[in-house]
Amino acid sequence: MAAITFGPTLTLKAVGDDVPQKWHGAVTDEIGGLIRVYKDGHVERPNIVPLVSTALPPELGVASADAVVDKFTNVWARFYVPNHGVQNQLLPLIVYFHGGGFCIGSAAWSCYHEFLAKLALKVNCVIMSVNYRLAPENPLPAAYEDGFKALMWLGRQLLEASSEWWTRRCNFSRVFLAGDSAGANIAHHLAARLASDDGTELKAANSLCFEGAILIQPFFGGEARTESEKHAARQPPSSALTVAASDTYWRLALPRGSNRDHPWCNPLKQDERRGCNSGKTRVLPRTLVCVSERDILRDRNVEYCGALAEAGNVVECVMHAGVGHAFQVLSKSQMAQARALEMMSHVGAFVHR
């Protein structure tokens, strides 16, 4: 299994490109090599990252399996459980959401399969990686609702004393929400929903005990540009996220007619109108935010950490030097691999604190 480095500058295969256009009309939105949307709503996503099965090298010491969360919406999850250590030891559970601007990505992507298997091993935890519906076919709040369904489903496994093999290793009183990029955005909104719930809407999920959130390069936006967005040229070559790509992802994911100051994109904008201490930025008991120094989202991520702290939340902000967006899954450079190990160490310390 090898992670694949790619960027939005990749192009779609030239062979047959004119045929879909003839069938589906003009291209209305495109991020080169990643997604192409046609006038009639047809969507193409080139298979630039392989989809892989649950298989893992035996020597890694991690078992993996898939489970159906909701057959009607095709929401499913992939579990990672370390084999080492005391077999009856209960481990913390991380519910993880993959990135991809809400428009691309999969829990079966080879780069996520490799990263999360290693993360489960390094942190010594069980990981539930959720595969949610994608925009533009399923614009927001579909991804949030799928995340909500996943938590409700997880709560039912506990309440119904499920005999699934992975449940025998889970400590359901130590659950963390996590994700990277768009997945971190999902984790944030689920955390805020859990914090504001009165105990009725999330009855099944509230049977779990959520200890915190782990947000890796959370995908937020806004109409006004930040300094890190204005100086995007400082990004590493072939960055996984450019300003233009970010704008396109949000245009495809948000409800029609919305701009980037919509609360789903810019969660701090509503707080700005109501006052920072309004409680809108309430999340789980504690939050870890991993920021990349050469990411266009750097300033938004740092601002988010400040808003959480000002609203009375316990937040830890870690800056990873010299790397860009999604480096932990998309880059094989020596620096990126070193920073990915640092990230895993921070996550492990946060989970086991």
Side-chain angles (χ1 to χ4, degrees):
M1 295 178 301
I4 294 179
T5 303
F6 68 98
T9 56
L10 296 179
T11 56
L12 294 167
K13 294 180 180 179
V15 178
D17 267 5
D18 57 331
V19 176
Q21 289 188 23
K22 181 172 68 177
W23 290 345
H24 303 295
V27 174
T28 57
D29 276 296
E30 181 175 11
I31 301 174
L34 298 175
I35 186 169
R36 176 181 283 178
V37 183
Y38 291 88
K39 186 177 181 179
D40 69 349
H42 177 73
V43 179
E44 290 178 356
R45 295 180 179 88
N47 296 321
I48 56 173
V49 180
L51 299 175
V52 296
S53 71
T54 58
L56 288 167
E59 62 271 18
L60 184 63
V62 176
S64 179
D66 292 341
V68 175
V69 171
D70 187 334
K71 64 181 180 180
F72 298 106
T73 54
N74 197 31
V75 177
W76 55 274
R78 179 163 294 184
F79 287 87
Y80 299 88
V81 183
N83 290 327
H84 69 282
V86 182
Q87 287 304 301
N88 60 357
Q89 178 189 12
L90 295 180
L91 303 177
L93 171 63
I94 294 178
V95 182
Y96 196 94
F97 299 91
H98 67 78
F102 298 105
C103 298
I104 62 172
S106 169
W109 267 13
S110 60
C111 54
Y112 279 109
H113 189 56
E114 178 182 6
F115 172 69
L116 293 178
K118 290 180 178 178
L119 185 65
L121 185 66
K122 295 287 186 183
V123 176
N124 195 28
C125 67
V126 176
I127 295 179
M128 174 186 177
S129 178
V130 180
N131 198 74
Y132 52 89
R133 289 172 294 169
L134 300 176
E137 302 96 322
N138 302 283
L140 293 174
Y144 302 143
E145 292 306 318
D146 291 348
F148 171 78
K149 287 178 185 176
L151 298 185
M152 294 290 287
W153 178 86
L154 188 61
R156 286 196 297 273
Q157 305 308 301
L158 175 59
L159 291 174
E160 297 169 6
S162 170
S163 60
E164 290 291 333
W165 66 278
W166 54 269
T167 62
R168 295 193 292 271
R169 298 300 307 278
C170 286
N171 185 347
F172 288 102
S173 65
R174 302 201 63 227
V175 182
F176 295 82
L177 296 177
D180 67 286
S181 196
N185 178 298
I186 295 171
H188 158 80
H189 285 287
L190 289 177
R193 188 168 179 177
L194 286 168
S196 62
D197 180 58
D198 62 5
T200 56
E201 182 188 23
L202 293 167
K203 185 176 181 181
N206 280 334
S207 63
L208 310 167
C209 182
F210 293 91
E211 271 199 22
I214 302 161
L215 310 183
I216 301 172
Q217 305 138 357
F219 184 46
F220 298 132
E223 287 297 304
R225 299 297 189 197
T226 64
E227 289 301 309
S228 58
E229 290 168 343
K230 291 176 183 176
H231 299 92
R234 298 172 184 170
Q235 295 180 101
S238 302
S239 174
L241 186 67
T242 65
V243 172
S246 175
D247 290 352
T248 302
Y249 283 136
W250 282 118
R251 187 165 57 250
L252 296 175
L254 287 171
R256 183 168 296 182
S258 302
N259 66 22
R260 293 189 305 274
D261 281 335
H262 191 288
W264 293 339
C265 176
N266 190 352
L268 302 186
K269 194 67 177 178
Q270 196 168 10
D271 293 345
E272 192 177 281
R273 298 190 189 104
R274 299 187 182 190
C276 260
N277 292 313
S278 64
K280 295 301 289 183
T281 47
R282 285 185 307 158
V283 286
L284 296 183
R286 51 197 178 98
T287 302
L288 170 67
V289 182
C290 296
V291 184
S292 293
E293 181 187 33
R294 299 179 66 184
D295 186 357
I296 64 167
L297 299 177
R298 182 196 65 202
D299 291 352
R300 292 195 185 279
N301 291 173
V302 172
E303 182 185 13
Y304 171 78
C305 291
L308 288 186
E310 190 173 348
N313 298 281
V314 177
V315 58
E316 179 182 347
C317 183
V318 177
M319 182 73 70
H320 297 284
V323 287
H325 193 75
F327 72 89
Q328 72 282 358
V329 289
L330 298 180
S331 177
K332 279 296 187 182
S333 74
Q334 187 174 359
M335 176 181 287
Q337 291 185 63
R339 296 292 182 265
L341 289 175
E342 289 175 6
M343 177 184 287
M344 292 181 189
S345 295
H346 283 294
V347 172
F350 180 81
V351 168
H352 293 289
R353 185 168 304 146

